[in-house]
Amino acid sequence: MARLPERPRVWLLSAYRADSHAAWADWLVTTQTHCRWRRLELPGRNFAWRIRGNPLSWLDSLPDETPDLIVATSMVDLATLKGLNPRLARVPTLYYFHENQFAYPVGENQFRSLEPRMVQLYGALAADRPVFNSAFNRDTFLSGVSELLKAMPDAVPEGVSERLAQASAVCPVAIDPLVGMAPGARDPRLVVWNHRWEHDRQPSMFADVMLRLANEGVTFRLALLGKRPRRVPEPLTRLREALPSQIVADGMLPGAAYRDLLAGAGIVVSTSRHEFQGLSVLEAVSAGACPLVPDALCYPEMYPAACRYPAGDAEALVSRLRAWLTGGLPPSVDVSPWYSDRLQPRWKALLQELA
């Protein structure tokens, strides 16, 4: 009787377990059962220390076994980790980019440090297969590497971006689709904001637009969701004070309540200045909400022109929302290519290619 091959031993290294990183890791080990997984994860906080310090955090805690494959997120300082652990040097490695530091916007009181970008560049070079959650993520990383090396004063290697491009692949984070209400039961005037209330999501622009529409007498309701810092953001305060009767939800809802709200929403809006895949919009669209997103970042890969407005153009966003709220919504958008059942075989093929 033929002996069945053993399942490969795979380490999943996630140096920043937060939000999409956590959802992706949980999904991967649950669905890719042909692997024997060993997970090493660090909490999603203290970014500057975490992205540079994870090889130290794991210095004395790596398993004694040598895996058949390593799957590491781009928050992992992979080059240093392999240098400190020579037995891992030749282990095939998939390096997964949820984001890249070359395209991550910097806040008003921040400066762009070289170190996070170098960690990700060295990590991609140390990996066998850099994988990105969107073509936008891949392309901005590769162009960022090219621009960075142009600034390098001397002894610059040739063809680094081209070398990385040849090794790279795109495979998104999967979502489980939400069940939406029948069209007649949906509230076409319920506008959802389900993003972090931070500078890179431009909540001030969203607040300006909604207050402008309210002053024009346009009828709508608001669901103000997503994480917010301890100090209440000024845009959120403005919306609360000016539109208390229009706000039907305010805060992070429990899972079931969140899904129920998205199931009946008409519109989900993004004003983001950075988005590498946009899971919150994807989830809302899977439930039947119409996306209204910038014509930039990852969004052109996902949504038709009718659902995109010129990035940063508040007037265009006001105009499009006004038309939707007074004249009816466009057809729903098919986002099934990002569903779990569609992406599971693609991830399996990537893993089997290396292990």
Side-chain angles (χ1 to χ4, degrees):
M1 182 175 179
R3 183 179 179 182
L4 294 175
E6 288 192 354
R7 294 183 299 156
R9 296 166 299 175
V10 184
W11 288 4
L12 191 155
L13 306 180
S14 178
Y16 202 79
R17 182 178 167 82
D19 301 327
S20 63
H21 299 237
W24 165 80
D26 294 345
W27 177 85
L28 197 64
V29 300
T30 301
T31 60
Q32 303 302 314
T33 55
H34 68 285
C35 299
R36 289 180 288 164
W37 292 98
R38 191 78 174 261
R39 299 173 65 162
L40 289 92
E41 296 173 293
L42 297 170
R45 56 176 181 262
N46 304 318
F47 169 83
W49 276 103
R50 191 69 80 224
I51 194 169
R52 203 65 181 90
N54 55 82
L56 281 175
S57 298
W58 286 323
L59 186 64
D60 299 317
S61 59
L62 293 178
D64 293 332
E65 67 174 14
T66 298
D68 299 303
L69 172 66
I70 293 173
V71 176
T73 71
S74 62
M75 283 289 293
V76 174
D77 187 351
L78 182 64
T80 300
L81 186 80
K82 286 195 169 188
L84 292 173
N85 300 273
R87 65 191 171 93
L88 303 180
R90 296 189 179 277
V91 175
T93 305
L94 185 156
Y95 197 55
Y96 193 54
F97 284 81
H98 292 272
E99 47 75 33
N100 79 78
Q101 290 297 306
F102 294 92
Y104 209 97
V106 177
E108 294 181 1
N109 300 318
Q110 297 175 321
F111 72 97
R112 187 176 295 281
S113 171
L114 179 63
E115 286 205 13
R117 289 176 287 167
M118 295 301 288
V119 165
Q120 293 189 332
L121 171 55
Y122 289 148
L125 288 169
D128 297 270
R129 179 69 84 181
V131 180
F132 299 81
N133 61 356
S134 67
F136 167 75
N137 194 355
R138 177 199 60 199
D139 295 346
T140 53
F141 174 76
L142 295 173
S143 62
V145 167
S146 295
E147 290 302 312
L148 178 67
L149 294 181
K150 286 179 184 177
M152 191 171 172
D154 55 21
V156 183
E158 294 185 1
V160 172
S161 291
E162 292 76 11
R163 190 183 318 169
L164 291 172
Q166 290 178 0
S168 295
V170 173
C171 199
V173 174
I175 67 164
D176 291 318
L178 304 182
V179 178
M181 293 182 181
R186 184 178 301 278
D187 182 350
R189 293 188 176 88
L190 175 56
V191 179
V192 170
W193 167 274
N194 56 347
H195 314 281
R196 289 182 287 105
W197 290 78
E198 297 181 13
H199 71 92
D200 58 305
R201 307 300 183 180
Q202 296 197 108
S204 289
M205 178 178 169
F206 175 72
D208 292 344
V209 166
M210 301 316 299
L211 292 173
R212 165 89 173 270
L213 290 168
N215 289 335
E216 293 180 7
V218 176
T219 300
F220 60 84
R221 283 158 289 283
L222 280 176
L224 305 176
L225 311 175
K227 287 185 178 179
R228 63 276 315 262
R230 291 182 182 178
R231 183 176 180 179
V232 179
E234 182 270 342
L236 180 56
T237 297
R238 280 196 287 141
L239 289 170
R240 286 172 171 172
E241 292 177 350
L243 306 175
S245 61
Q246 282 101 316
I247 298 173
V248 301
D250 184 357
M252 292 191 67
L253 300 178
Y258 178 73
R259 292 189 293 271
D260 288 345
L261 189 146
L262 292 186
I267 303 170
V268 59
V269 174
S270 169
T271 53
S272 288
R273 291 195 297 122
H274 103 271
E275 195 66 86
F276 296 99
Q277 185 177 343
L279 294 179
S280 60
V281 174
L282 265 175
E283 286 184 337
V285 176
S286 78
C290 290
L292 191 46
V293 298
D295 188 16
L297 311 172
C298 64
Y299 294 127
E301 301 172 48
M302 311 169 78
Y303 306 115
C307 296
R308 307 195 306 264
Y309 64 92
D313 189 337
E315 287 296 324
L317 179 54
V318 167
S319 177
R320 192 71 61 85
L321 269 175
R322 184 193 299 117
W324 286 13
L325 290 167
T326 59
L329 302 178
S332 58
V333 178
D334 178 19
V335 290
S336 60
W338 287 268
Y339 290 176
S340 179
D341 60 349
R342 298 280 290 275
L343 287 171
Q344 185 174 339
R346 289 177 57 186
W347 273 103
K348 184 175 182 179
L350 277 173
L351 297 174
Q352 289 181 328
E353 171 191 306
L354 294 171

